[in-house]
Amino acid sequence: MSKIKLINVSKSFGEKKLFEIDNLEILEGQKIGIVGKNGTGKSTFLNIIANKIQPDTGKIETKGKISYINQLDNIEENRFSKISGGEKMLEIIKNKIKENPDILLADEPSTNLDIFNVQYLIKQLKEYKGILLIISHDRSVLDNICDYIIEIENGCIKKYKGNYTDYKMQKNMEKARKKFEYFQYIREKERLQKAIIGSKNNEKSIKKAPKRMGNSETRLHKREATEKREKLEQHSKALETRLKQLQEKEKPEKEYSIYFQIPENLKIRSKEIIKSDKFSLTIQGKQLLVDTKFYIPTNKKIAIIGKNGVGKTSFIKRIINKDEQININPQASIGYFSQKLDNLDENSNVLENVIKDSVQDERTVRNILASLYLKDDKVYSNVKDLSGGEKVKVALAKILVSNANLLILDEPTNFLDIESIEGLENLIKAYTGTVLVISHDKDFIDNVCDNIILIEDKNIKQYEGNYSQYLTLSQNRRNKKIISNDRILLEFKLTKLNSEIALVKDEKEKGQLENERKSIIEQLANIN
């Protein structure tokens, strides 16, 4: 049964057309993700359905009670609140679902949630039985909840069956088909153009009758030449008609290859860039970490995870401020990204901002900006005129091309659309230095990071592998059905040994620990 209908709906802001919808129906029970680049009108689309904004044209029909989870309301309510933004958002979500609406609209509900609470959000929204329309840049949310995706692109709205991964597969197939059709079009266009030139050259090459010919021979030659010329003219016109009728195909977007190296003089040769044998952290009288060990391996991508309030941001700030409890390699040069965006000059343009302290050439800088969808004339826009999401991209690009060999990124994906997040993933993977990242985006961590630091129970625990591998290990340890107690104990010892080996200085002691590590790996190989 149809619960939402949009017929001939359009919306523009000034001269910018956001979208036109001929006919869109949403049926009972459907859970739909709304995707599109920043500024395409995703929030406006939800606000039109919620009757908070009126369309320029068209008709909207909704049946049943509507509840709306709006990230902006959450920010406003939290301005003077003592509880965290994540806690407030969870409270809002619970209350909205308790209202038992027929239609639930959610605009970035995972904002401010830690990676564990995102899983709780997914569980809540999966159990909700009504229609759900959700905007989210978190792909794990869209993958686990949605059975349809609505894409807003270039003023058009298109509905795809399946979750975000299904949508991406369909989009990639569309792109491949468009690319093939474009090159077929170019090839046929060039063939016709060459054929037209050849036909016209043939017309010109038809010779006049020689002077030595008699009158009758001259008349015959002229008639034959005229017939040939007319046929060639007809052939040329037919080719020109076919060229005019050739359906033009849109040129596919340029794909940017990213290759940038840290200069030799900035490379760090030691195994660890940061380590501490004994680290404690107290904030406003609250002990967050107590006498814990940790190390940051050089040239690895490390995700820092933990529940809201465990001290993730405070931990990285102690690194940035070179806390006396922490040993930082003297060659380390830190590039820090925070939501304050205080590394930007508001009165300079995008390209000037990024290239100012860059150790990369201009071509690389432009490719990096283009990977974040800042290209063409956009690079000459003043930073003060950019949207919040665009400023985030400039700040990230500026850090990536700087002389930093250690990037510390605190929630870099906030305010970015999914395509820009995927572009950022490619950039970080291409970056050859060390990266420390705090993020609630599971897919981002999975795609980028090869090590995990978990802050839990006032302690730091370290794991090799991405977030999914960490989850599998944790789940296996909890249920004990897949892994035996012996294996759990050995894996625990192995994790501890890895940390100890990284921190120990004495070569003899390190060799003994390495031998113990090899022995444990062999024992693990023999456990089914």
Side-chain angles (χ1 to χ4, degrees):
M1 179 182 173
S2 177
K3 288 274 187 178
I4 303 172
K5 278 187 184 179
L6 291 89
I7 302 163
N8 297 324
V9 169
S10 67
K11 185 64 184 176
S12 300
F13 283 114
E15 294 182 359
K16 183 182 179 182
K17 181 184 76 174
L18 289 181
F19 47 75
E20 287 181 343
I21 305 167
D22 293 331
N23 193 334
L24 178 65
E25 286 192 50
I26 297 170
L27 305 182
E28 192 170 0
Q30 289 185 346
K31 290 184 168 68
I32 300 174
I34 316 294
V35 301
K37 291 177 186 173
N38 290 343
T40 54
K42 301 186 294 292
S43 295
T44 302
F45 176 72
L46 284 195
N47 280 318
I48 284 174
I49 292 172
N51 201 30
K52 292 177 179 288
I53 293 177
Q54 294 304 309
D56 299 332
T57 64
K59 180 182 171 186
I60 298 108
E61 296 176 5
T62 58
K63 295 177 182 177
K65 182 181 176 181
I66 298 176
S67 286
Y68 195 1
I69 301 167
N70 189 336
Q71 61 167 331
L72 297 177
D73 292 341
N74 182 33
I75 292 166
E76 197 62 36
E77 287 177 28
N78 264 295
R79 187 168 291 177
F80 305 106
S81 176
K82 289 183 180 179
I83 68 171
S84 71
E87 290 169 324
K88 186 62 182 174
M89 179 54 86
L90 284 178
E91 189 181 308
I92 289 170
I93 292 163
K94 285 178 189 175
N95 291 337
K96 293 291 184 183
I97 292 174
K98 277 181 185 177
E99 292 173 5
N100 198 26
D102 300 284
I103 300 165
L104 181 61
L105 310 177
D107 190 350
E108 295 290 2
S110 63
T111 301
N112 297 320
L113 298 186
D114 61 50
I115 201 164
F116 302 100
N117 277 328
V118 168
Q119 299 308 307
Y120 177 79
L121 168 70
I122 289 170
K123 182 176 180 292
Q124 291 288 303
L125 293 179
K126 280 178 82 170
E127 291 174 356
Y128 167 68
K129 301 300 181 186
I131 286 176
L132 173 67
L133 288 172
I134 179 170
I135 299 170
S136 180
H137 65 261
D138 192 316
R139 290 156 290 180
S140 67
V141 171
L142 299 177
D143 263 346
N144 282 286
I145 294 169
C146 298
D147 46 29
Y148 285 90
I149 298 291
I150 285 178
E151 175 196 68
I152 305 178
E153 184 179 48
N154 299 325
C156 299
I157 284 186
K158 188 172 180 182
K159 191 175 178 184
Y160 293 82
K161 185 172 177 55
N163 62 13
Y164 182 78
T165 298
D166 299 325
Y167 153 76
K168 282 296 288 184
M169 287 175 63
Q170 293 171 70
K171 282 294 288 184
N172 289 337
M173 288 171 66
E174 284 179 10
K175 284 179 182 177
R177 186 172 64 252
K178 283 179 180 177
K179 190 175 181 180
F180 172 77
E181 288 175 352
Y182 175 75
F183 287 115
Q184 287 284 87
Y185 157 73
I186 292 296
R187 190 165 66 178
E188 180 62 7
K189 182 181 177 181
E190 288 174 350
R191 188 190 72 78
L192 289 171
Q193 287 171 334
K194 285 179 183 176
I196 290 166
I197 291 167
S199 183
K200 288 187 174 179
N201 286 339
N202 287 337
E203 286 179 48
K204 293 174 184 176
S205 68
I206 296 172
K207 297 177 181 178
K208 293 180 180 179
K211 290 182 180 179
R212 65 177 178 271
M213 278 188 178
N215 290 338
S216 60
E217 287 178 310
T218 299
R219 284 194 297 272
L220 178 62
H221 184 278
K222 190 180 286 186
R223 186 168 64 248
E224 287 175 348
T226 301
E227 286 174 358
K228 283 181 182 178
R229 197 173 287 112
E230 285 175 352
K231 283 181 180 177
L232 286 169
E233 282 178 2
Q234 287 174 2
H235 182 58
S236 295
K237 285 179 182 177
L239 289 171
E240 286 171 346
T241 300
R242 283 170 63 186
L243 182 60
K244 285 178 184 176
Q245 291 174 345
L246 192 63
Q247 188 178 354
E248 190 173 349
K249 299 293 180 182
E250 187 180 349
K251 187 177 181 179
E253 268 193 16
K254 184 180 176 182
E255 294 177 0
Y256 295 89
S257 56
I258 301 299
Y259 179 80
F260 58 110
Q261 283 279 354
I262 290 176
E264 283 296 319
N265 64 315
L266 296 174
K267 289 183 179 178
I268 293 177
R269 309 296 177 186
S270 61
K271 287 184 179 180
E272 308 93 28
I273 190 169
I274 299 169
K275 62 181 178 180
S276 177
D277 293 324
K278 191 175 182 182
F279 179 74
S280 297
L281 177 63
T282 302
I283 302 295
Q284 294 178 348
K286 182 181 179 182
Q287 271 199 319
L288 300 175
L289 291 167
V290 180
D291 295 342
T292 189
K293 281 184 179 182
F294 73 90
Y295 73 100
I296 306 299
T298 305
N299 300 336
K300 296 291 185 179
K301 278 85 174 179
I302 304 106
I304 301 171
I305 64 171
K307 293 181 179 178
N308 287 343
V310 296
K312 299 186 293 293
T313 298
S314 298
F315 171 62
I316 61 172
K317 282 184 176 176
R318 290 295 173 91
I319 293 173
I320 293 162
N321 294 326
K322 299 183 179 178
D323 187 291
E324 61 183 13
Q325 302 174 85
I326 303 170
N327 297 315
I328 301 176
N329 190 302
Q331 288 181 288
S333 175
I334 297 173
Y336 175 49
F337 170 83
S338 73
Q339 298 297 335
K340 290 181 180 179
L341 308 179
D342 47 14
N343 64 336
L344 300 181
D345 178 358
E346 292 274 325
N347 295 312
S348 297
N349 69 35
V350 170
L351 188 59
E352 288 168 344
N353 259 280
V354 178
I355 211 165
K356 183 180 178 184
D357 301 312
S358 174
V359 296
Q360 308 295 334
D361 58 42
E362 185 174 335
R363 183 180 177 183
T364 302
V365 168
R366 284 178 174 271
N367 280 349
I368 286 169
L369 287 168
S371 296
L372 296 170
Y373 298 93
L374 292 170
K375 51 190 173 182
D376 303 326
D377 291 342
K378 198 71 181 179
V379 300
Y380 301 113
S381 300
N382 270 4
V383 167
K384 65 183 178 183
D385 299 323
L386 301 179
S387 69
E390 288 168 338
K391 287 179 181 178
V392 166
K393 295 176 189 181
V394 179
L396 287 165
K398 190 174 174 71
I399 292 166
L400 281 162
V401 301
S402 71
N403 66 347
N405 49 27
L406 169 60
L407 303 186
I408 299 180
L409 312 177
D410 192 354
E411 295 291 1
T413 63
N414 281 359
F415 309 112
L416 295 185
D417 55 64
I418 295 177
E419 285 183 303
S420 298
I421 292 172
E422 291 169 345
L424 177 61
E425 287 175 353
N426 292 331
L427 292 173
I428 293 176
K429 282 189 269 190
Y431 178 76
T432 53
T434 308
V435 181
L436 268 177
V437 60
I438 297 173
S439 178
H440 66 267
D441 188 325
K442 174 188 172 294
D443 285 357
F444 179 76
I445 292 174
D446 258 353
N447 294 333
V448 166
C449 296
D450 48 26
N451 277 255
I452 300 291
I453 283 179
L454 171 66
I455 300 179
E456 184 180 57
D457 299 329
K458 300 180 182 180
N459 192 21
I460 288 175
K461 301 171 186 176
Q462 296 192 236
Y463 302 87
E464 289 186 19
N466 63 15
Y467 184 67
S468 287
Q469 290 166 333
Y470 155 74
L471 278 183
T472 301
L473 179 62
S474 299
Q475 184 62 40
N476 288 344
R477 285 173 174 172
R478 279 196 298 270
N479 60 35
K480 297 184 183 180
K481 291 178 181 175
I482 303 171
I483 300 178
S484 69
N485 287 334
D486 288 342
R487 188 175 183 90
I488 293 168
L489 184 60
L490 286 169
E491 285 176 344
F492 178 78
K493 284 181 179 178
L494 185 61
T495 301
K496 188 180 176 185
L497 268 174
N498 286 333
S499 299
E500 289 175 356
I501 289 168
L503 295 171
V504 74
K505 292 179 180 178
D506 184 80
E507 289 300 320
K508 186 177 179 181
E509 186 183 351
K510 186 175 277 191
Q512 290 172 344
L513 292 172
E514 285 284 6
N515 289 335
E516 191 177 344
R517 183 176 180 273
K518 286 177 185 176
S519 173
I520 289 174
I521 290 171
E522 287 173 6
Q523 291 177 63
L524 282 168
N526 293 323
I527 296 176
N528 293 324

